[in-house]
Amino acid sequence: AQSVTQLGSHVSVSEGALVLLRCNYSSSVPPYLFWYVQYPNQGLQLLLKYTSAATLVKGINGFEAEFKKSETSFHLTKPSAHMSDAAEYFCAVSVPTSGTYKYIFGTGTRLKVLA
Amino acid sequence: KAGVTQTPRYLIKTRGQQVTLSCSPISGHRSVSWYQQTPGQGLQFLFEYFSETQRNKGNFPGRFSGRQFSNSRSEMNVSTLELGDSALYLCASSLDPPYYEQYFGPGTRLTVT
């Protein structure tokens, strides 16, 4: 069965440090992958998406993610964390099911940025 | 282009009552999905509608139902509310999957007392 695993429900980094949020997926076919961010009391906002055009995907707010098929991973990174990056981050995969597609979300990683 | 709107934003109901939540997707989006978000269970998929037809369904009891209108607006209904139904209900719209991202509304915060 297809699934998404996010390692670490909580991650803390210092301001200016590298942000690395991990996502591994399980899919029997090439997936479409997404990262979303959720700020308090808001819906989810798309950060970036992978649709097989390029393995390194750049998104908004300085985030990027690299698709590694051999590792079935799609980790999210940002070179230098800002206080405003504190939020919850969700990895998602769009997979075929019953003649259509559905999104499967990971359990989320809450990022805390320390001053 | 206007984003996804959800009404109401906040709702307080009593156990046993029923509730209807509304979602207006982005213009041109025919796929509308609903999710339940709770601290303990995370983001759980409820169902997806496309062109007025339910196309996907998650593992929720029959008390949870939905529908989509010809203008793509969608409603979800929860009957016989339980305390455990307290959650943030998120609606998302998209162009037809698989590679189109979903756009989320701000959610409806439902509290059941």
Side-chain angles (χ1 to χ4, degrees), chain B residues 47-67:
Chain B
F47 28 65
E48 184 223 356
Y49 285 87
F50 183 82
S51 292
E52 302 179 65
T53 300
Q54 187 181 86
R55 195 160 65 168
N56 271 314
K57 190 176 188 304
N59 295 323
F60 277 81
R63 299 185 297 107
F64 292 82
S65 63
R67 59 177 174 169

Side-chain angles (χ1 to χ4, degrees), chain A residues 36 38 49 94 100-101 103, chain B residues 37 55-56 98 100-102:
Chain A
Y36 289 84
Q38 185 179 31
K49 66 178 181 181
S94 177
T100 181
Y101 283 77
Y103 295 89
Chain B
Q37 187 177 28
R55 195 160 65 168
N56 271 314
Y100 290 110
E101 63 273 21
Q102 292 189 311

